[in-house]
Amino acid sequence: MAFLWAASLGFTIGMALALLRPAEAKRLVWRGTAIGAGLGLVIGCFRVVPPGHVGILEHFGRVREGTLEPGLRLAPPLAKLTTMPLTPLEWRRTLRLATADGQTARVTLVIRGRILPGRADALYRAFGARIW
């Protein structure tokens, strides 16, 4: 996203400069677009993983091995970053069960756990983003 934004900004600046110098219009537009695209590529390589989370990179549909620790990290510009919380999680499910005498009983199932930082990529690969 940063790539497209910066390339369009560079194109716009190149067009504005071309209006000031019509003789060099074509060169200024191409130069502005190239500088904007390059800047967008550099900016797009930096990702932020919030504290208490672990980052997982998905590049063209394939989950990369390993995880990213919290902080500012370098990543491929087109990779999708998904963060998983490392805090304890709780999954709740209420079930209605029929008893032998025809009554209905409610049972609440609670599963508590946390995601291990080193295994988060395997968990994401197996279940996707719907795990939490």
Side-chain angles (χ1 to χ4, degrees):
M1 187 69 175
F3 172 74
L4 292 176
W5 180 83
S8 63
L9 180 66
F11 178 77
T12 305
I13 291 171
M15 288 296 288
L17 289 174
L19 291 174
L20 296 175
R21 298 183 195 171
E24 303 173 20
K26 190 175 183 180
R27 186 173 54 88
L28 288 173
V29 170
W30 279 107
R31 187 175 287 174
T33 305
I35 290 172
L39 185 65
L41 267 172
V42 170
I43 290 171
C45 288
F46 291 100
R47 305 294 169 86
V48 176
V49 179
H53 289 72
V54 66
I56 298 156
L57 285 176
E58 189 175 349
H59 198 223
F60 294 116
R62 299 186 74 189
V63 178
R64 288 184 51 181
E65 289 288 328
T67 57
L68 299 176
E69 297 296 321
L72 184 66
R73 301 288 170 220
L74 258 158
L78 298 177
K80 177 185 161 195
L81 175 69
T82 304
T83 58
M84 293 178 106
L86 295 178
T87 56
L89 302 172
E90 184 175 287
W91 292 276
R92 264 181 202 271
R93 181 72 184 206
T94 302
L95 306 171
R96 290 184 182 187
L97 304 172
T99 61
D101 59 352
Q103 299 291 322
T104 302
R106 274 196 220 168
V107 177
T108 302
L109 175 68
V110 178
I111 300 174
R112 293 186 178 121
R114 69 182 185 94
I115 297 170
L116 298 174
R119 300 289 310 235
D121 58 335
L123 187 65
Y124 184 79
R125 196 175 292 113
F127 296 102
R130 65 178 187 261
I131 190 69
W132 65 97

